């Protein structure tokens, strides 16, 4: 993946699977498939990873708002998420976007603030070719003022003192057949998620 200069040379400090981040309230935290804290000469980096293998990014904002009786609470959450992202919460603008992308990005941002990091990254790790999910990601990136690029990070403008990036990585799954073909103990690099 191409690296933006402020993220160059990053080293992994901590990685947590299924890491939950409390949002505006303790109700319905954002559960990251993987969250990591990295460091480089610019400072700390909060990285939230959303792994996908052909499934969608769940409900659109409009559908999510209509899912239960507590619409007012959900409207307040959407307002808060959009405020964190410095974007309008107007449904005509964000109603057709995927709610999961909002809270996953804000979870990276919230952890960046918690650890006084200089950057927050929300990365989608896609394990299958998925044009529908990619189109959803492109629309969301455009809403944030970024240009989605596969295999590269895109800077979100107007981060309010924090650098915010979106990224999409396309990878192959290690299948049972591929595992069987590997003969004997192998170093970790043999199971890299990145296509080589």
């Amino acid at each position: 993946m191409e690296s933006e200069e402020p993220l160059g040379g990053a080293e992994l400090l901590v990685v947590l699977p299924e890491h939950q981040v409390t949002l505006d309230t303790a109700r319905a935290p954002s559960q990251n498939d993987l969250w990591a804290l990295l460091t480089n000469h610019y400072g700390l980096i909060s990285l939230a990873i959303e792994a996908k293998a052909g499934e969608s990014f769940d409900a659109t904002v409009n559908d999510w708002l209509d899912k239960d009786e507590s619409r007012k609470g959900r409207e307040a959450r959407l307002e808060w998420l959009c405020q964190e992202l410095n974007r309008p919460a107007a449904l005509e603008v964000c109603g057709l976007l995927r709610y999961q992308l909002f809270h996953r990005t804000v979870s990276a941002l919230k952890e960046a603030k918690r650890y006084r990091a200089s950057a927050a990254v929300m990365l989608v790790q896609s394990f299958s070719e998925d044009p529908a999910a990619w189109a959803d990601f492109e629309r969301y990136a455009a809403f944030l003022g970024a240009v989605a690029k596969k295999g590269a990070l895109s800077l979100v403008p107007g981060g309010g003192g924090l650098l915010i990036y979106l990224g999409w990585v396309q990878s192959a799954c290690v299948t049972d057949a591929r595992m069987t073909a590997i003969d004997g103990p192998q170093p970790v690099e043999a199971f890299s998620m990145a296509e080589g």
Side-chain angles (χ1 to χ4, degrees), residues 72-145:
K72 282 191 179 177
R74 290 184 177 221
E75 286 174 347
R77 159 87 40 108
L78 177 63
E79 183 74 37
W80 179 81
L81 289 169
C82 288
Q83 186 177 0
E84 289 291 303
L85 295 167
N86 295 319
R87 294 300 182 273
L91 290 179
E92 61 270 18
V93 178
C94 65
L96 297 178
L97 301 175
R98 300 290 175 168
Y99 172 69
Q100 188 178 55
L101 294 169
F102 283 80
H103 70 81
R104 192 68 73 241
T105 306
V106 172
S107 73
L109 188 55
K110 214 171 163 211
E111 293 296 71
K113 291 175 181 177
R114 177 182 173 193
Y115 290 100
R116 297 176 177 81
S118 59
V121 180
M122 194 282 283
L123 180 72
V124 175
Q125 175 81 49
S126 179
F127 291 101
S128 66
E129 197 64 43
D130 190 342
W134 170 250
D136 285 331
F137 182 77
E138 278 187 304
R139 282 189 291 272
Y140 175 71
F143 168 75
L144 293 183

Side-chain angles (χ1 to χ4, degrees), residues 38 44 93 153:
L38 302 99
L44 296 174
V93 178
L153 296 172

